[in-house]
Amino acid sequence: MSRYDVVIVGTGHGGAQAAIALRQQGFEGSIQMIGRDPSPPYERPPLSKEYLAGEKPFERLLIRPVQFWADKQIGLTLGESVTRIDPEARELHLASGEQVGYVRLIWSGGGDARRLSCPGSHLDGLHAVRDRRDVDRLLEDLQAGIRNFVVVGGGYIGLEAASVLRKLGCSVTVVETQDRLLSRVAGEDLSNFFAEEHQRQGVALRLGAQVERLEGESRVEGVTLASGETIACDAVVAGIGIVPSVGPLIAAGAAGANGVDVSDTCHTSLEKVYAIGDCAAHANPYANGAVVRLESVQNAHDMANTVAKAICGDPQPYDAMPWFWSNQYDLRLQTAGLSIGHDATVLRGDPAERSFSVIYLRDGIVIAVDAVNRTKDYAQGGKLVKARAEVSPELLADTDVPLKEMR
Ligand SMILES: Cc1cc2nc3c(=O)[nH]c(=O)nc-3n(C[C@H](O)[C@H](O)[C@H](O)COP(=O)(O)OP(=O)(O)OC[C@H]3O[C@@H](n4cnc5c(N)ncnc54)[C@H](O)[C@@H]3O)c2cc1C
């Protein structure tokens, strides 16, 4: 059995960045990455954007050229799952039966796409959008001429998929349980704007709608809602969130209910075991004291840097400002901060002009900015969020005054 100074589980954004940051920090010990995905580390955001649209080949999604990992003496074991952790012996058990020892372990397992569990969810033609293989299967359907889609889930992934499918000339109905789109992440102004935009682009919306079952013999032919309506389709895309991939960590005794709990240096409750990225529940300084799991490239990347620093003997608490983006049609939504606990919103600009921002306040303090086709507001608003600036709603709404002049 081999033992490595650092073993990283997961070869996604967090795992790859942890390895890169360790070498950047001058770490000279052995590093071994182990990931279930058979492809070398790649970026996920383009999967529901340019890759699905056929605008970017897979090679351009790679986080680093394949040779990089060997050049930096970072071992890559691909297509292999970690099934069990022995925290006393500091050993990992792999699906292949192999065992691997670690001095320190970084868990960056992300999450698995949540699956529909209604009758019919075994049928062909039901797609997730989580990894490259999911999107390749969806592309195969498109190449085979499938054009009628139901998208279940009106969050970022579902809406990005819907916008690409529309651009490709497909008919699309989005079914969302909540009574507005993006309800988990955005305020009502933004939800309404995106609902109108999708409808303008020809997407049919069913809000406040529950999927009762998928119809079909071997392949999906329709989606029946709790209202009794059946929407005919040839394929379904489910974008209904993720289930954090932390089974072996929790079974080994790590604390966590929604993912795995980590400290401000991303340490789990298990000795010498860190966790980062989508699966790491943490007290984010921008979350009004709440423990959150953030699903974003920024969070995975910055947590990876935090762990690399801690391992290299320079521990610093994780305090990066959250940011996020989403592309739909010609709209670029950029978010700085977290709107959790906001008690007021300010609309800056006119949604009808397709360039506006929504600014979120808590006790008069700017805590988050959603900017649609307004990159300056995003960049300058982010600085207000970082500075915890107190600005009057009237001034924030005044588009004649740049946000950078409001500190
Ligand atoms: C389609 C899509 C679009 C997105 N768009 C955006 C966007 O526009 N902006 C943004 O900020 N974020 C976006 N995200 C989110 C972002 O990609 C994630 O937050 C980020 O990838 C998280 O990194 P991670 O390392 O935590 O997890 P991941 O990148 O998901 O990597 C986790 C890896 O761990 C592996 N793994 C899990 N369990 C095991 C195990 N037991 N053994 C071995 N390997 C295991 C998985 O197979 C996976 O490869 C998007 C995500 C998706 C899926």
Side-chain angles (χ1 to χ4, degrees):
M1 186 191 67
S2 310
R3 185 172 296 276
Y4 301 93
D5 295 313
V6 173
V7 174
I8 301 172
V9 178
T11 53
H13 278 276
Q17 180 58 26
I20 293 167
L22 278 168
R23 289 295 185 237
Q24 281 170 344
Q25 303 276 328
F27 182 78
E28 289 177 353
S30 53
I31 304 177
Q32 182 66 31
M33 299 177 73
I34 302 170
R36 201 161 52 197
D37 201 309
S39 300
Y42 59 91
E43 295 174 10
R44 274 170 212 273
L47 290 179
S48 52
K49 305 177 182 76
E50 301 93 326
Y51 185 66
L52 178 59
E55 293 164 1
K56 231 183 202 183
F58 180 72
E59 292 62 43
R60 288 184 51 209
L61 270 49
L62 291 176
I63 288 176
R64 289 288 187 277
V66 176
Q67 188 56 33
F68 169 89
W69 307 103
D71 289 349
K72 296 286 176 189
Q73 288 171 313
I74 297 166
L76 265 185
T77 302
L78 300 173
E80 177 70 277
S81 284
V82 172
T83 53
R84 194 163 77 79
I85 302 172
D86 181 339
E88 267 83 49
R90 297 195 184 161
E91 284 168 19
L92 304 177
H93 295 246
L94 310 186
S96 60
E98 253 186 80
Q99 290 171 30
V100 173
Y102 63 85
V103 178
R104 288 187 181 83
L105 174 64
I106 303 174
W107 187 275
S108 189
D112 299 314
R114 193 182 295 284
R115 306 273 160 186
L116 284 172
S117 56
C118 61
S121 45
H122 62 283
L123 293 170
D124 285 347
L126 170 59
H127 297 280
V129 185
R130 182 69 197 168
D131 63 26
R132 177 198 185 178
R133 289 163 296 179
D134 293 332
V135 179
D136 284 346
R137 279 189 287 268
L138 183 49
L139 287 169
E140 275 169 29
D141 264 7
L142 285 164
Q143 273 148 20
I146 297 292
R147 286 292 176 271
N148 296 322
F149 285 84
V150 169
V151 172
V152 181
Y156 288 125
I157 304 283
L159 294 181
E160 288 182 356
S163 84
V164 172
L165 292 170
R166 278 302 296 145
K167 274 203 275 186
L168 296 175
C170 300
S171 86
V172 181
T173 302
V174 171
V175 176
E176 164 60 48
T177 321
Q178 301 298 316
D179 56 7
R180 61 185 179 92
L181 300 177
L182 296 172
S183 62
R184 206 168 57 86
V185 287
E188 271 184 42
D189 289 326
L190 207 71
S191 298
N192 295 340
F193 173 78
F194 276 97
E196 277 168 28
E197 178 64 19
H198 278 276
Q199 282 170 314
R200 209 173 63 80
Q201 299 280 356
V203 172
L205 297 182
R206 297 288 185 279
L207 301 177
Q210 291 277 356
V211 173
E212 188 94 343
R213 60 180 182 278
L214 305 187
E215 309 290 350
E217 291 290 315
S218 61
R219 187 178 170 96
V220 66
E221 290 169 11
V223 175
T224 297
L225 306 179
S227 63
E229 180 190 8
T230 298
I231 307 161
C233 64
D234 311 314
V236 173
V237 176
I240 52 172
I242 62 165
V243 179
S245 180
V246 291
L249 268 183
I250 302 297
N258 173 20
V260 60
D261 295 343
V262 297
S263 70
D264 62 1
T265 51
C266 299
H267 207 286
T268 69
S269 60
L270 299 177
E271 223 182 315
K272 307 282 184 197
V273 180
Y274 298 86
I276 59 176
D278 286 10
C279 69
H282 64 286
N284 192 291
Y286 290 85
N288 196 22
V291 170
V292 291
R293 265 194 322 99
L294 298 180
E295 296 169 15
S296 70
V297 170
Q298 170 277 319
N299 180 61
H301 197 273
D302 288 333
M303 280 189 157
N305 292 343
T306 296
V307 169
K309 281 202 174 117
I311 289 177
C312 293
D314 178 24
Q316 286 172 24
Y318 178 63
D319 64 354
M321 182 187 67
W323 53 264
F324 194 84
W325 79 96
S326 174
N327 301 345
Q328 296 167 43
Y329 310 107
D330 60 339
L331 301 170
R332 183 161 176 84
L333 166 66
Q334 293 169 290
T335 298
L338 296 174
S339 59
I340 297 172
H342 70 271
D343 51 26
T345 59
V346 176
L347 185 59
R348 182 176 157 85
D350 182 3
E353 287 176 11
R354 301 166 64 74
S355 169
F356 67 99
S357 303
V358 180
I359 301 173
Y360 299 82
L361 303 170
R362 187 173 57 236
D363 300 328
I365 307 280
V366 177
I367 57 166
V369 178
D370 281 329
V372 176
N373 289 347
R374 251 180 124 86
T375 297
K376 275 190 186 152
D377 276 6
Y378 161 73
Q380 297 173 9
K383 289 186 180 150
L384 294 181
V385 173
K386 262 193 194 158
R388 276 121 177 131
E390 192 169 352
V391 187
S392 76
E394 293 72 28
L395 187 55
L396 288 169
D398 186 348
T399 49
D400 290 335
V401 185
L403 291 176
K404 69 178 178 196
E405 288 173 20
M406 297 187 189
R407 286 172 60 195

